[in-house]
Amino acid sequence: MKNLIILFLFVSFISCKTDEKPQASIVPETPKIVKEFGFKLNNFKVINDTIKPGENFSEILDRNNVDYPRVLEIVNKIRDTFNVRKIKSGIPYTVLAKNDSTEQAQVFIYQHSKVRYTVVDFRDSIPVAYHGKKPVKTVLKTASGIITTHLSDAVESQGLSSYLTYKMADDIYAWTIDFSRLQKNDKFKLIYEQLYINDTIPVGIGEIKAAYFEHGNQPFYAFKYVADTILNIPDYFDDEATNLRRQFLKMPVKFSRISSRYNLKRRIALYGNRVRPHKGTDFAAPIGTPIMATANGTVTESRRKGGNGNYVKIRHNATYSTQYLHMSRRAVKVGDVVKQGDVIGYIGMTGNTSGPHVCYRFWKNGRQVDPLKEKLPAAEPMKENIKPHYFEFIKSLKEQIDAINYSTIDNEIIIPKKELQS
């Protein structure tokens, strides 16, 4: 019996030991490493703020425990790289301070934009300043739309960037489509670059790689391609390798509207509502808006005269000349050589005018004509030996843009690296 009691106690003891749950070991959590602006932020106390109206660099550092003599030393040492007197209210900044009881600032970071910043590092005895950029990730996306009122409405109503409107109207198709006369149900498709920082924060639009615009039931393709490898300047070409750029811009002002067209039978209020030929095209825009030369040429006149007000005239070649009236001020003088897109003056109301605009006049063989009805000469054509490579380059791009559904917008796509030519 004694032996049975001992055996029972032994089994009970073993059973109790078996039922005990092992205690889990506690592993301390490793803090996540945070890096930004080239610094490991875990090593600092991080203060993010925005420059207040009237606030200056000295006040910011003083508030973060840097005394005035040291601030003065910092300002003098970095002045050639960063002028602290030019910091602007509303701009965000970051202070990296010591992670101890003093909480004294060691680094000041001025964020010019979401991408660009300037670092002032005064951890060492000699302060330094340098400029930097955050890494930008590029994602290719698609967009499409059907126009019911204006191109801008079709773009912005979908939450797309207004920059896409500008690129289509004032860059890609500026020479081939009159955007002041779009028709209802005109359509567009795009393959473009969306730029991000930190993988998720959008910071703008990069290039438009390919575009399709259907205007009046006529298709207009556009593919960005470097045809001249010497100059290495990209241009837009259509699906037949024709350069979409023309020798002349359609308009001398960006983001403007036509307030009066070329009209030989127009009645003008300033002249008693009598019929008086209007041999120019008026582009309305706010005073001070830059006016651009619509093609390369030489300035032959730059002066103020009568009803023309301040004006500039440019001779482009033996066939074409252009004139720009009613400027608030002129930016070129006689004899200056200008390139297409150069600013030659600014919108004003000088001379006979009832509102701010530029009257754009166009001469062909010494006779004033309507530039919007002229078939303007194209830019340099693509060389024949380059075309086979171009057609191979656009092949899958064209397939992808044709496949975009008008009800589908802002979709990411993948394009093989060989087709990402700028």
Side-chain angles (χ1 to χ4, degrees), residues 61-212:
L61 291 199
D62 178 69
R63 189 165 60 248
N64 289 281
N65 307 310
V66 180
D67 57 29
Y68 182 74
R70 180 58 171 162
V71 173
L72 188 60
E73 182 184 7
I74 294 168
V75 170
N76 289 331
K77 289 288 185 182
I78 67 169
R79 65 174 57 185
D80 292 338
T81 304
F82 181 57
N83 186 348
V84 301
R85 293 178 177 83
K86 292 186 177 181
I87 63 175
K88 299 177 181 178
S89 64
I91 299 295
Y93 68 86
T94 298
V95 170
L96 305 182
K98 287 182 178 180
N99 215 351
D100 58 19
S101 59
T102 67
E103 296 186 350
Q104 186 182 55
Q106 294 187 296
V107 179
F108 173 83
I109 302 163
Y110 183 77
Q111 300 177 50
H112 302 272
S113 67
K114 290 181 179 179
V115 176
R116 293 173 50 249
Y117 59 87
T118 296
V119 173
V120 180
D121 187 343
F122 41 94
R123 289 175 294 177
D124 295 333
S125 58
I126 300 177
V128 294
Y130 56 89
H131 307 298
K133 288 184 178 181
K134 292 183 178 181
V136 177
K137 177 183 177 182
T138 301
V139 176
L140 286 177
K141 292 197 170 186
T142 67
S144 65
I146 300 174
I147 298 167
T148 55
T149 52
H150 303 286
L151 175 61
S152 58
D153 291 340
V155 171
E156 294 168 35
S157 64
Q158 302 179 65
L160 299 170
S161 170
S162 59
Y163 183 70
L164 295 174
T165 303
Y166 156 70
K167 287 293 289 183
M168 282 189 282
D170 285 3
D171 186 7
I172 300 173
Y173 293 114
W175 302 269
T176 52
I177 296 174
D178 184 354
F179 278 83
S180 64
R181 292 189 172 182
L182 293 181
Q183 300 175 16
K184 187 176 181 179
N185 293 324
D186 282 353
K187 306 175 180 71
F188 69 87
K189 301 177 184 180
L190 301 171
I191 298 174
Y192 68 99
E193 295 176 336
Q194 177 67 60
L195 307 179
Y196 294 93
I197 57 171
N198 301 331
D199 291 333
T200 58
I201 303 173
V203 291
I205 303 295
E207 297 176 350
I208 292 181
K209 295 290 187 179
Y212 171 87

Side-chain angles (χ1 to χ4, degrees), residues 234-335:
D235 230 330
Y236 284 98
F237 299 83
D238 67 13
D239 54 331
E240 296 181 352
T242 302
N243 196 328
L244 294 184
R245 181 169 56 86
R246 296 285 167 175
Q247 197 171 345
F248 287 85
L249 296 172
K250 275 189 173 290
M251 300 181 180
V253 184
K254 292 181 179 180
F255 306 112
S256 66
R257 64 179 178 84
I258 296 176
S259 55
S260 181
R261 291 179 176 272
Y262 180 97
N263 185 353
L264 300 181
K265 297 181 180 180
R266 192 184 74 161
R267 294 181 181 276
I268 302 179
L270 285 171
Y271 298 99
N273 208 36
R274 296 194 302 269
V275 172
R276 184 157 179 167
H278 183 240
K279 295 183 178 181
T281 304
D282 293 348
F283 294 92
I287 290 177
T289 301
I291 299 169
M292 303 176 297
T294 55
N296 300 345
T298 303
V299 176
T300 56
E301 296 180 48
S302 178
R303 59 175 175 163
R304 179 165 183 156
K305 182 181 178 182
N308 291 348
N310 279 317
Y311 75 90
V312 168
K313 190 171 184 179
I314 300 171
R315 183 180 185 275
H316 303 287
N317 53 35
T319 304
Y320 297 102
S321 295
T322 55
Q323 188 180 20
Y324 313 77
L325 279 57
H326 310 307
M327 296 178 172
S328 58
R329 62 187 178 92
R330 293 166 275 124
V332 292
K333 61 183 184 299
V334 173

